[in-house]
Amino acid sequence: METNKRIQAALKKVQKKMKADIFGFAEIFHRKYPREWNRVKDRWEEIFPTVEVTVKTKVYVRRPGIGTAPQGLPEQEVKE
């Protein structure tokens, strides 16, 4: 699925190359596992690039047939 590929590419770029937690995984981890967070919080910048993330997507087309091109997509990727 194209949506899944795009999400995985964005995640790989920010997680592996930029090493930036822009999606807020630290906050989610802290809420779900508070004791474990206390052990790793000082090393999160080291740990985050190695965290395995599973991406699950669900897409719903709510209004098919709209005649405008989606914003943010390169023109060559827009299918008529």
Side-chain angles (χ1 to χ4, degrees):
M1 182 180 290
E2 188 64 29
T3 304
N4 198 304
K5 287 180 189 176
R6 287 179 183 265
I7 293 169
Q8 288 176 342
L11 180 60
K12 181 178 180 181
K13 186 172 185 175
V14 297
Q15 184 182 23
K16 306 290 183 192
K17 293 180 183 177
M18 301 172 77
K19 299 181 181 180
D21 184 6
I22 66 166
F23 298 113
F25 288 104
E27 184 179 328
I28 296 164
F29 185 84
H30 178 221
R31 279 191 305 228
K32 187 158 179 121
Y33 306 104
R35 288 184 182 152
E36 290 83 354
W37 173 252
N38 286 329
R39 292 196 315 254
V40 301
K41 65 182 176 185
D42 295 331
R43 299 179 306 132
W44 184 247
E45 288 180 14
E46 298 169 30
I47 294 170
F48 175 65
T50 66
V51 172
E52 185 178 328
V53 178
T54 302
V55 177
K56 295 180 181 179
T57 56
K58 226 181 231 190
V59 178
Y60 297 98
V61 178
R62 293 183 187 256
R63 293 173 47 189
I66 294 178
T68 60
Q71 294 295 317
L73 285 180
E75 191 173 322
Q76 64 272 17
E77 289 187 25
V78 177
K79 296 177 183 174
E80 298 286 332

